[in-house]
Amino acid sequence: MRTPEAYKESLRAMRPNVYKFGELIEDVTEHPATRRSVEGHAQIYEQAMLPEQEEVFTTLSSLTGERISRYLSIIRSAEDMLANSRMKRRMFNLTGTCTGARCVGWNALNTMWSVTHDIDKKFETDYHHRLREWILYAQANDLAVAGALTDPKGDRTKAPSEQEDPDVHLHIVGWEEGGITLRGAKVMIAGASAANEIFVLPGSKYKDSDADFAVACVVPRDMEGITIVEARHPNDGRDLEEGFDNPVDIGGITQGYILFDDVVVPAGRVFMAGEFGFTGRLIERFITPYRSAIGGCVAGQGDLMIGAAVLMARANGLSERTFRQKLVDMSINNETTYGMGIAAAVLGKVHSSGSWLCDPLLANINKVHVATLPYETKRITQEIGGGIAETGCMPSWKDLGSEEYGELLRKYLTADADGMRRAKAARMIEWLTLGSGVPGTMHGGGSPDGARMFVSSKTGLEEKVKLVERLMGEDEQDPGE
Ligand SMILES: Cc1cc2nc3c(=O)[nH]c(=O)nc-3n(C[C@H](O)[C@H](O)[C@H](O)COP(=O)(O)OP(=O)(O)OC[C@H]3O[C@@H](n4cnc5c(N)ncnc54)[C@H](O)[C@@H]3O)c2cc1C
């Protein structure tokens, strides 16, 4: 298993292919646009080295028996899923944000573990073996793997093959003996610049005319033909600031637009190529564990919001008792998403490939909570924090240090004891509720309306009607009949 430094070294050794603000980033570990994201992921490697975190962050490989990062393991039980939720909660506690360059790729490899098993059974292909070989390689090298499903999509009402420009969904443009050629893009990919490899999955359920879009594979992030353009972000420029305006330990969520310009993927790295009939179950098996464990992510960030709100109340000279009910509501929101995700895991079952499938109904219900409750928690945090927290409405750390007017600013920021502590807590709330700390759980992992459609299809209205009909005594004769 790799140390944080070995992980960063591996990124430095890659071909520079990440751009932002028109500039090619030579070293993603140092450049202000990507450094925080890399540092956040490096903390995962650090945690895995700690004896007290070993049980959560590492596990024994079901393929080799070797100790590996949990982020490259095959999830085989409810206990593994529980560790997934615990690990994500802890990572949000430590970085305040998302570390998608390990979690989404992990989710993708687990999805394909069962899906390749099913495809091989039907078509006698050897996808499962190929995936196994790649997982062995990934485990041996302790890779950071991002996951890429989201296509640009074009007109949302049209299937990929009906779009004016076929490239708005990543697709196969060449079928060579030794592999396939891909063209198109994947967008909003979390942690792309912090990843060694990118696990590509189809973005939706497809029909026969969309067979060329049904592609799953894994590619090195710096492969020939791949260009990544990082999204502009509220955190931009923060590295240029000083003091509490630029807290050192918080992570930095980044999303990349990944452009595929005729990328040739060797067959050994291809796990689906044209088997459109399996894309529906692929999507379901991706979103189910994802929407389960994401409850841990938002709870982990909620922990920080509760802590920041209490610190702010105290700095204002108020006791947290003033806000007891609000803090209780925040805690309820937190544990609802965490607990619901764990319930989805516990009610799961083993697939014949050996991987664990969480309960899809509960996981999708959790997605709706995850797209709702943390935003209410943010609202409460701002309410407790007051105006200086709401929009970070106060002078910078540098101005507070000014020889000319700093003393006056510090005097007017002081409420209880220390004005600087109050300012620090306020800046943290601004970050948690408005900036990079926003977990992106409205659409990350798919839209809540998509989850609602799933819930609708599984709710079983007629069964419920029958239950009530029985209680109403439908068979009994009505008076006068
Ligand atoms: C922070 C963050 C991190 C992310 N990380 C990743 C990642 O690591 N990997 C990855 O693959 N993706 C990632 N994504 C992308 C995410 O999966 C998508 O944002 C999500 O799937 C929704 O797609 P979209 O943004 O294109 O929304 P749109 O498709 O534009 O949808 C917008 C709204 O319209 C509705 N809608 C769309 N189509 C229809 C229709 N035909 N009929 C009715 N309503 C419709 C949707 O339900 C939604 O409410 C990330 C997103 C965020 C915000």
Side-chain angles (χ1 to χ4, degrees):
M1 285 172 56
R2 295 196 293 195
T3 61
E5 197 37 53
Y7 157 63
K8 287 190 245 177
E9 195 47 51
S10 75
L11 296 179
R12 282 192 280 267
M14 293 171 80
R15 176 178 75 90
N17 64 339
V18 179
Y19 289 80
K20 185 157 180 174
F21 295 129
E23 180 196 338
L24 175 64
I25 296 175
E26 292 293 341
D27 180 358
V28 292
T29 69
E30 292 295 338
H31 194 281
T34 47
R35 187 186 67 79
R36 277 183 185 283
S37 176
V38 171
E39 288 299 334
H41 289 83
Q43 288 197 54
I44 297 176
Y45 287 93
E46 197 177 316
Q47 289 297 303
M49 305 269 129
L50 302 176
E52 66 274 20
Q53 292 299 332
E54 185 183 81
E55 192 198 329
V56 176
F57 278 75
T58 73
T59 186
L60 297 181
S61 166
S62 55
L63 305 178
T64 63
E66 299 281 324
R67 188 155 290 283
I68 53 161
S69 166
R70 189 174 286 283
Y71 279 105
L72 292 165
S73 65
I74 294 155
I75 298 171
R76 298 166 65 84
S77 65
E79 287 73 26
D80 283 346
M81 272 306 296
L82 174 59
N84 183 348
S85 294
R86 287 173 64 197
M87 186 160 68
K88 287 178 178 165
R89 189 165 187 164
R90 178 150 178 87
M91 282 317 300
F92 262 79
N93 281 175
L94 293 174
T95 65
T97 187
C98 157
T99 42
R102 295 216 83 179
C103 117
V104 193
W106 179 33
N107 209 75
L109 79 84
N110 271 282
T111 303
M112 291 314 291
W113 186 255
S114 64
V115 173
T116 52
H117 187 267
D118 294 353
I119 301 177
D120 287 356
K121 213 161 143 190
K122 179 155 182 195
F123 294 122
E124 294 183 2
T125 39
D126 70 339
Y127 291 133
H128 195 69
H129 173 73
R130 294 179 190 181
L131 177 64
R132 189 178 192 281
E133 291 299 301
W134 175 79
I135 294 174
L136 286 171
Y137 161 75
Q139 289 181 350
N141 291 282
D142 205 6
L143 298 179
V145 187
L149 288 85
T150 308
D151 298 282
K153 293 197 292 244
D155 182 338
R156 268 59 177 161
T157 61
K158 290 182 180 162
S161 53
E162 296 165 351
Q163 300 281 344
E164 209 166 296
D165 181 352
D167 296 350
V168 295
H169 292 82
L170 186 76
H171 61 131
I172 303 171
V173 291
W175 304 76
E176 295 84 18
E177 228 0 50
I180 53 171
T181 303
L182 295 180
R183 190 181 303 156
K186 292 285 183 183
V187 298
M188 297 183 263
I189 306 309
S193 326
N196 299 113
E197 301 224 352
I198 296 158
F199 210 122
V200 172
L201 294 183
S204 187
K205 180 180 175 180
Y206 297 140
K207 52 185 192 301
D208 51 358
S209 51
D210 299 322
D212 289 352
F213 301 86
V215 59
C217 61
V218 68
V219 291
R221 192 262 280 154
D222 61 347
M223 201 172 194
E224 208 49 53
I226 294 182
T227 301
I228 296 174
V229 184
E230 277 292 349
R232 197 201 62 80
H233 207 273
N235 210 32
D236 289 337
R238 195 159 191 150
D239 265 59
L240 303 174
E241 301 192 58
E242 293 173 47
F244 61 67
D245 290 329
N246 179 17
V248 285
D249 283 329
I250 55 174
I253 186 172
T254 60
Q255 280 91 40
Y257 277 49
I258 308 179
L259 312 177
F260 291 75
D261 185 12
D262 291 357
V263 174
V264 181
V265 187
R269 285 174 164 270
V270 177
F271 314 125
M272 169 187 268
E275 292 82 3
F276 63 89
F278 288 83
T279 49
R281 78 181 68 174
L282 182 156
I283 295 295
E284 183 176 325
R285 289 187 194 159
F286 180 87
I287 60 178
T288 303
Y290 196 86
R291 292 176 178 185
S292 165
I294 200 171
C297 302
V298 295
Q301 206 195 39
D303 292 333
L304 298 180
M305 285 190 271
I306 293 172
V310 170
L311 279 173
M312 197 66 205
R314 288 180 184 162
N316 279 338
L318 297 164
S319 154
E320 58 267 28
R321 281 197 297 278
T322 317
F323 300 110
R324 179 177 287 153
Q325 191 51 50
K326 291 184 172 62
L327 292 165
V328 166
D329 289 346
M330 291 166 89
S331 190
I332 290 170
N333 290 348
N334 258 10
E335 305 311 328
T336 300
T337 58
Y338 187 56
M340 190 91 195
I342 290 170
V346 170
L347 293 184
K349 56 177 195 253
V350 185
H351 178 263
S352 51
S353 63
S355 71
W356 186 256
L357 306 179
C358 299
D359 180 76
L361 179 61
L362 292 194
N364 278 283
I365 290 174
N366 201 35
K367 166 73 220 193
V368 177
H369 286 317
V370 155
T372 318
L373 300 180
Y375 296 89
E376 172 61 6
T377 302
K378 286 175 197 306
R379 191 195 64 71
I380 302 174
T381 311
Q382 291 203 345
E383 195 179 340
I384 295 173
I388 65 166
E390 182 180 345
T391 55
C393 187
M394 60 178 184
S396 69
W397 182 87
K398 214 167 175 179
D399 284 312
L400 295 180
S402 157
E403 283 192 9
E404 227 173 301
Y405 50 77
E407 199 179 332
L408 276 179
L409 288 177
R410 292 197 298 276
K411 176 168 108 147
Y412 295 126
L413 273 173
T414 300
D416 181 24
D418 181 353
M420 283 309 234
R421 194 168 162 79
R422 181 164 175 260
K424 270 186 191 173
R427 196 61 95 216
M428 189 55 77
I429 290 179
E430 176 205 343
W431 185 79
L432 284 166
T433 59
L434 292 174
S436 300
V438 172
T441 49
M442 177 64 72
H443 286 293
S447 76
D449 270 356
R452 285 190 182 93
M453 276 167 61
F454 190 94
V455 173
S456 168
S457 73
K458 297 282 175 195
T459 296
L461 293 184
E462 288 315 313
E463 281 166 40
K464 293 174 174 41
V465 166
K466 282 202 183 80
L467 289 173
V468 178
E469 281 176 346
R470 184 184 151 269
L471 288 176
M472 289 192 323
E474 280 285 276
D475 297 339
E476 286 168 26
Q477 206 176 0
D478 288 338
E481 275 187 15

